[in-house]
């Protein structure tokens, strides 16, 4: 079973994402900020990370920058899930190490397509 870590400060987004991912047969862990997310990655590196951009404690960009510098941190596929939709933000996310980008709010089909694009669905 593939594993996914949802890093998002919104409980609603985590709940919706978990429901979609579990229907796609992922095991799911949650973190409400980037620091908690990095701690969970240190315990067990997931196959996929759904990552919010704007969070307290540590932003999504700070999270992915630190993740990619860690041993094994190059392995997870990272999909940014955010309301930021301009080209500059997308470019920044990709150059920081993101594999894909999905706009909030997203539905089952949209997330499944993004996971297929990164080879995880």
């Amino acid at each position: 079973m593939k594993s996914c870590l949802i890093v998002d400060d919104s409980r609603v987004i985590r709940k919706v994402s978990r429901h979609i991912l579990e229907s796609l047969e992922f095991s799911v862990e949650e973190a409400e900020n980037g620091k908690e997310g990095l701690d969970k990655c240190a315990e067990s590196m997931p196959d996929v990370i759904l990552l919010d951009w704007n969070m307290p404690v540590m932003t999504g960009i700070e999270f992915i920058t630190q993740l990619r510098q860690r041993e094994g941190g190059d392995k997870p596929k990272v999909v940014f899930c955010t309301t930021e939709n301009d080209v500059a933000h997308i470019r920044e996310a990709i150059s920081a190490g993101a594999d894909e980008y999905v706009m909030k709010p997203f539905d089952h089909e949209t997330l499944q397509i993004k996971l297929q694009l990164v080879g995880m669905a």
Side-chain angles (χ1 to χ4, degrees):
M1 182 177 265
K2 292 186 185 113
S3 60
C4 183
L5 174 64
I6 303 164
V7 184
D8 199 306
D9 59 323
S10 166
R11 186 167 41 245
V12 172
I13 294 292
R14 291 196 313 269
K15 186 175 180 180
V16 169
S17 300
R18 173 184 281 277
H19 177 74
I20 294 169
L21 288 158
E22 287 177 343
S23 77
L24 296 170
E25 300 187 356
F26 278 84
S27 65
V28 179
E29 286 279 330
E30 298 179 20
E32 61 183 55
N33 63 60
K35 183 186 178 321
E36 192 180 312
L38 287 173
D39 291 345
K40 292 210 183 245
C41 288
E43 291 169 26
S44 175
M45 198 64 76
D47 297 310
V48 182
I49 298 171
L50 292 188
L51 181 61
D52 186 22
W53 190 291
N54 298 306
M55 295 178 289
V57 184
M58 180 185 291
T59 67
I61 291 292
E62 291 167 333
F63 171 90
I64 195 168
T65 301
Q66 290 187 35
L67 173 75
R68 294 304 194 205
Q69 293 169 354
R70 291 181 172 208
E71 187 176 330
D74 58 333
K75 302 242 181 322
K77 298 295 183 183
V78 176
V79 179
F80 257 102
C81 303
T82 183
T83 56
E84 306 290 351
N85 65 349
D86 57 278
V87 174
H89 276 95
I90 295 169
R91 197 173 288 133
E92 184 180 357
I94 299 298
S95 66
D99 297 286
E100 252 313 328
Y101 202 94
V102 65
M103 293 301 303
K104 289 179 184 175
F106 51 84
D107 59 11
H108 185 286
E109 183 180 1
T110 304
L111 187 54
Q112 187 172 5
I113 288 167
K114 294 295 184 178
L115 291 169
Q116 286 170 345
L117 288 171
V118 299
M120 285 291 155

